Amino acid sequence: MMRGVFPLVKLILRRDRVKLPIWIFAIVLTAVSMPLAMHATMGSASDLANLQQQMSSGSAILSLISGTFQLINGNADLGSLTLIKAELFTAVLIAFFVGLLVIRHTRANEESGASEMILSGEVSRKAPLTAAIFVAVSSLLIIVVLTALGMYFSVKGISGGWGRGAPTVWNGSWLFALEMGGIGLAFTGIAAIAAQLAGTSAGANAIFGGIIGMTYISRGIGDVFTKNLNEMNIWSWFSPFGWGEMTRSLTFANWKYLWIFAIMCPIFMAIGYFLLSKRDLGSGILPAIKGRSRASKILRSKFGLALHEQKTIFISWLIGNLIL
C-alpha cells in the first residue's frame, strides 16, 4: 500500500500549492472570525434578549437549517450564538474541501488517464488513494490546530468567555476544532467511497454532494425533533454533522461523542479501499449508463456539450438549493 505514496503526496502538494492554502485559510478564518462577529452584534442585555426571543420563536425552521439553538442556563451567550452561526457552515466547507480533494486526485486522475501512467511505474494500486487521504488528513490536522489556537486567542480577552456555565475558552476552542476535524475525517472516508462507485469524476462528485445533502437534511430532521440536548435523535445518528453537533462544543462540552468519529472514520476509509480492490482501473462499482447511439442536435453544439458535461452537478446544486 505504501509503495509510491510519498512521491504522489509531493505531486498533490505541487498541483494544489495554491488551492490548499486558500481552502485552509478560508476555513480557519470562518471559524476564528465568527466569535468576534457574534460578540460585536450581541449589543446590550436587552438586544441579546430580543435576539434570543427571535431565534427561539422560529426554533423548528432554525433547527432544520442552522442546528439547535443551545441556551446555557436558559440564556443565549457567545457560545450559543457562535454555534448557531458558524458550526454547520464551517462543517459544510470542510466536507466539500476534503471531498473535492480526494476525488480530484483519485477518480479524476483515472478519468484523464493520468493514473494509468502513474501505475505503470513502481507504484502500488492503492497508493493514489492513500496519498490523497494522507494530504486530506494532514490538512485537517493543520485546520484543527490553527482553529483551536485562533479561537482561543480571539475569545480569551472577551469577558465571560463562551458564557456562564459553558466550558472554558481553551476547552471549548479545542473541542470545536476537534469536532470539525472529525467531520472532515468522516467525509474524507465518504469521498473515498464515492470515488470508487462512479466511473467519472462528475459522477463521484454528484454522489458525494448528494450524500452531503442527505446527511445535512437527516441532521436537520434530528434537530427538529430533539427534546434533550444531551441525547442524540435517531435521525442524527445517520449524519456526521449530527455527530459533531452532539459534542455541544461551546455550550455543554460533551467530549464523549468524539468516539463516534474514532470508530466510523476508519470504517469509511476501509470500505473505500475494499471497493478499490473490487474494480478495474478506470471503471466504477456502479454500472455505466449506456448513451444514445447518435447525439442530439443540441449536443452537437458547443453550448450543448458544455451543458451535457455539467448537467449532473447543475441538477444536484439546483435540487439542493430548492430544498434549502
Side-chain angles (χ1 to χ4, degrees):
M1 185 185 297
M2 297 299 295
R3 192 167 66 249
V5 169
F6 291 108
L8 289 179
V9 169
K10 292 171 62 177
L11 177 62
I12 293 174
L13 295 177
R14 170 67 180 173
R15 291 180 63 190
D16 289 359
R17 62 188 181 278
V18 176
K19 289 183 178 182
L20 275 176
I22 291 176
W23 269 107
I24 292 173
F25 176 77
I27 292 170
V28 173
L29 181 64
T30 298
V32 173
S33 63
M34 198 58 69
L36 296 176
M38 290 298 97
H39 177 66
T41 58
M42 284 171 64
S44 63
S46 60
D47 292 335
L48 186 58
N50 290 333
L51 179 62
Q52 178 178 334
Q53 182 179 6
Q54 292 171 10
M55 300 184 83
S56 299
S57 63
S59 58
I61 297 299
L62 182 69
S63 296
L64 185 66
I65 297 176
S66 301
T68 305
F69 190 39
Q70 304 167 33
L71 302 179
I72 308 173
N73 296 325
N75 298 308
D77 281 305
L78 182 59
S80 307
L81 297 175
T82 301
L83 286 181
I84 205 70
K85 291 293 185 180
E87 185 176 31
L88 287 172
F89 183 74
T90 306
V92 170
L93 274 181
I94 289 177
F96 275 109
F97 163 56
V98 295
L100 294 174
L101 188 153
V102 170
I103 292 173
R104 166 177 161 82
H105 295 289
T106 53
R107 173 53 63 185
N109 279 350
E110 290 189 38
E111 187 178 10
S112 67
S115 290
E116 187 174 358
M117 180 180 65
I118 292 172
L119 294 175
S120 64
E122 294 184 3
V123 178
S124 168
R125 175 78 168 86
K126 299 177 181 179
L129 179 58
T130 304
I133 290 176
F134 180 86
V135 173
V137 173
S138 300
S139 300
L140 288 172
L141 180 61
I142 295 173
I143 289 172
V144 167
V145 173
L146 292 181
T147 297
L149 295 179
M151 292 184 78
Y152 170 72
F153 285 111
S154 65
V155 176
K156 74 171 186 175
I158 296 177
S159 177
W162 297 119
R164 292 160 292 178
T168 64
V169 174
W170 178 259
N171 288 342
S173 300
W174 274 104
L175 183 53
F176 181 90
L178 289 172
E179 169 200 348
M180 293 298 116
I183 292 173
L185 285 176
F187 280 103
T188 298
I190 292 172
I193 295 173
Q196 316 311 318
L197 295 178
T200 64
S201 58
N205 282 322
I207 292 173
F208 182 74
I211 292 174
I212 289 180
M214 288 188 294
T215 54
Y216 191 93
I217 293 173
S218 177
R219 184 278 321 155
I221 296 173
D223 283 346
V224 168
F225 293 104
T226 293
K227 303 299 182 183
N228 186 344
L229 292 179
N230 292 318
E231 296 180 2
M232 190 185 300
N233 184 274
I234 188 171
W235 286 94
S236 296
W237 279 103
F238 298 102
S239 171
F241 299 120
W243 307 341
E245 272 193 333
M246 279 307 301
T247 62
R248 312 297 186 201
S249 53
L250 305 182
T251 52
F252 302 106
N254 294 327
W255 291 82
K256 62 182 181 181
Y257 284 99
L258 291 177
W259 68 263
I260 304 176
F261 295 109
I263 293 176
M264 296 305 300
C265 294
I267 292 176
F268 289 151
M269 294 180 188
I271 293 174
Y273 280 112
F274 174 77
L275 294 177
L276 174 63
S277 67
K278 296 298 179 181
R279 66 175 182 85
D280 294 327
L281 183 67
S283 65
I285 296 294
L286 299 177
I289 301 176
K290 293 183 179 180
R292 297 178 180 178
S293 58
R294 289 183 176 273
S296 65
K297 186 176 181 180
I298 296 178
L299 187 58
R300 291 197 294 269
S301 67
K302 294 178 180 179
F303 174 78
L305 178 61
L307 183 62
H308 176 75
E309 291 293 322
Q310 302 297 326
K311 66 179 181 181
T312 303
I313 296 177
F314 176 79
I315 293 173
S316 300
W317 278 104
L318 177 62
I319 293 174
N321 279 280
L322 287 175
I323 292 174
L324 183 60

